[in-house]
């Protein structure tokens, strides 16, 4: 389990730095462009591991698999991650990071319909805690007073909703395809959908890349997207989904601290209160799986 927890901590740190690193580029990249580049780099990095895993499983991708992966790519990359990137034009990185961490709330809702996952009393408690946390961090009073742009806040919320759909729908074939292949191919398919959008909208593919921005871009692509998802898949392989999901339990704590240190973004009282409710919801959500892991030891 030691290797598993190392993978969990590596995942949490790398995922926790995503919004901060993206914000650190200082607007040098278009939001769609940055999403395209980082997932293209990450997808290509994961591709050899994905092919190797498919061979081990003895699974050849069918036309149905490719359609399924294309749908996942559109939902997760073309829509969710692009909207998350757009949201950071108008809201702080710490707020965007916390909102995207509420995606398990929406995963539970969608899983009830697309994965035949029953909605239990425990899930109702998780739903309530995370909704309270989401409302607190969104801070309606500040939105109404003009302190937070509702358009960009809405983009972050829709990003969390669609990522929840991606996670729920992704349960359908992950047992046969494997998480490594599912991520690698959906990343690349999502980028393939973004490419014509960029060409039509006249968004530069490589514009903005300089000696100053290239290290951050490579960090986002290789470390956050490539290594981050590699460690996450390894954590699932070694300890199961419940243990691996601890990474998303840690991200709402890591991201605001890094945003404060690197970007100077304030850690407000409502941010802390909202994170506590989201963490409580995350813990209730993970608890049964963690107990099962302990009992199996």
């Amino acid at each position: 389990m030691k290797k598993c927890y190392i993978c969990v901590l590596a995942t949490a740190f790398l995922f926790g730095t995503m919004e901060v690193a993206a914000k650190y580029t200082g607007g040098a990249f278009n939001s769609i462009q940055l999403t395209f580049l980082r997932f293209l780099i990450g997808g290509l990095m994961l591709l050899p591991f994905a092919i190797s895993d498919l061979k081990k499983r003895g699974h050849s991708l069918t036309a149905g698999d490719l359609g399924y992966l294309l749908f996942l790519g559109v939902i997760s990359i073309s829509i969710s991650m692009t909207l998350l990137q757009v949201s950071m034009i108008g809201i702080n990185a710490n707020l965007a990071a916390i909102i995207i961490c509420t995606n398990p709330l929406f995963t539970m809702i969608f899983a009830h319909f697309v994965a035949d996952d029953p909605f239990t009393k425990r899930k109702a408690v998780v739903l309530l805690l995370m909704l309270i946390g989401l409302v607190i961090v969104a801070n309606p009073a500040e939105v109404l007073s003009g302190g937070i742009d509702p358009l960009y806040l809405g983009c972050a919320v829709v990003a969390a909703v669609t990522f929840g759909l991606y996670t729920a729908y992704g349960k359908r074939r992950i047992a046969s395809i494997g998480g490594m292949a599912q991520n690698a191919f959906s990343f690349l398919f999502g980028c393939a959908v973004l490419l014509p959008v960029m060409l039509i909208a006249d968004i530069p593919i490589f514009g903005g890349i300089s000696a100053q921005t290239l290290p951050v871009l490579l960090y986002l692509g290789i470390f956050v997207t490539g290594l981050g998802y590699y460690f996450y898949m390894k954590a699932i392989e070694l300890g199961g989904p419940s243990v691996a999901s601890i990474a998303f339990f840690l991200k709402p704590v890591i991201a605001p601290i890094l945003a404060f240190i690197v970007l100077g973004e304030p850690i407000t009282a409502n941010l802390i209160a909202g994170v506590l409710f989201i963490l409580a919801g995350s813990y209730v959500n993970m608890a049964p799986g963690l107990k099962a892991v302990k009992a199996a030891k």
Side-chain angles (χ1 to χ4, degrees):
M1 287 296 288
K2 184 178 179 181
K3 287 183 179 179
C4 176
Y5 286 119
I6 290 173
C7 289
V8 168
L9 290 174
T11 303
F13 176 78
L14 291 169
F15 283 0
T17 63
M18 194 286 284
E19 291 81 6
V20 176
K23 195 89 169 181
Y24 193 72
T25 60
F29 300 104
N30 176 277
S31 298
I32 297 176
Q33 175 198 16
L34 185 55
T35 303
F36 170 82
L37 289 173
R38 84 176 183 93
F39 280 99
L40 178 63
I41 295 169
L44 290 174
M45 184 176 169
L46 291 175
L47 190 58
F49 301 103
I51 294 171
S52 175
D53 190 51
L54 284 172
K55 288 179 180 178
K56 288 179 183 177
R57 293 169 179 271
H59 184 85
S60 298
L61 295 178
T62 65
D65 289 336
L66 294 175
Y68 163 82
L69 292 167
L70 174 61
F71 177 77
L72 289 181
V74 170
I75 293 297
S76 63
I77 310 306
S78 308
I79 298 176
S80 179
M81 292 297 101
T82 299
L83 285 176
L84 179 64
Q85 195 63 52
V86 169
S87 75
M88 285 184 280
I89 297 173
I91 64 174
N92 285 342
N94 57 18
L95 180 56
I98 292 167
I99 290 175
I100 198 65
C101 285
T102 64
N103 72 82
L105 157 68
F106 305 106
T107 299
M108 286 189 306
I109 296 171
F110 286 121
H112 179 67
F113 298 101
V114 304
D116 297 321
D117 193 0
F119 194 83
T120 62
K121 289 181 180 178
R122 178 181 58 80
K123 290 180 180 179
V125 172
V126 175
L127 179 70
L128 179 61
L129 288 170
M130 284 198 163
L131 272 177
I132 292 172
L134 180 59
V135 170
I136 292 173
V137 297
N139 200 352
E142 194 170 353
V143 173
L144 291 173
S145 66
I148 297 177
D149 192 314
L151 175 62
Y152 294 111
L153 181 67
C155 285
V157 173
V158 175
V161 172
T162 48
F163 197 81
L165 174 60
Y166 162 73
T167 306
Y169 196 83
K171 294 179 180 181
R172 289 192 164 190
R173 301 196 187 194
I174 195 168
S176 58
I177 294 175
M180 202 69 75
Q182 185 159 290
N183 279 319
F185 286 102
S186 65
F187 288 178
L188 294 175
F189 284 154
C191 290
V193 171
L194 285 179
L195 183 58
V197 174
M198 293 170 65
L199 294 174
I200 292 169
D202 199 26
I203 296 171
I205 297 174
F206 301 110
I209 297 177
S210 65
Q212 288 74 36
T213 59
L214 182 59
V216 183
L217 176 62
L218 292 177
Y219 176 78
L220 283 165
I222 296 172
F223 288 89
V224 176
T225 310
L227 282 176
Y229 279 93
Y230 174 81
F231 283 128
Y232 182 55
M233 289 298 112
K234 277 296 177 182
I236 291 175
E237 180 185 313
L238 295 168
S242 295
V243 174
S245 63
I246 294 173
F248 291 99
F249 185 79
L250 297 173
K251 175 173 174 169
V253 178
I254 294 171
I257 294 172
L258 289 176
F260 173 74
I261 294 170
V262 178
L263 303 173
E265 293 182 357
I267 299 176
T268 60
N270 71 291
L271 210 63
I272 295 171
V275 165
L276 290 175
F277 275 97
I278 291 168
L279 290 179
S282 297
Y283 178 76
V284 173
N285 190 38
M286 294 187 301
L290 294 176
K291 287 179 181 177
V293 171
K294 288 181 181 178
K297 286 183 178 180

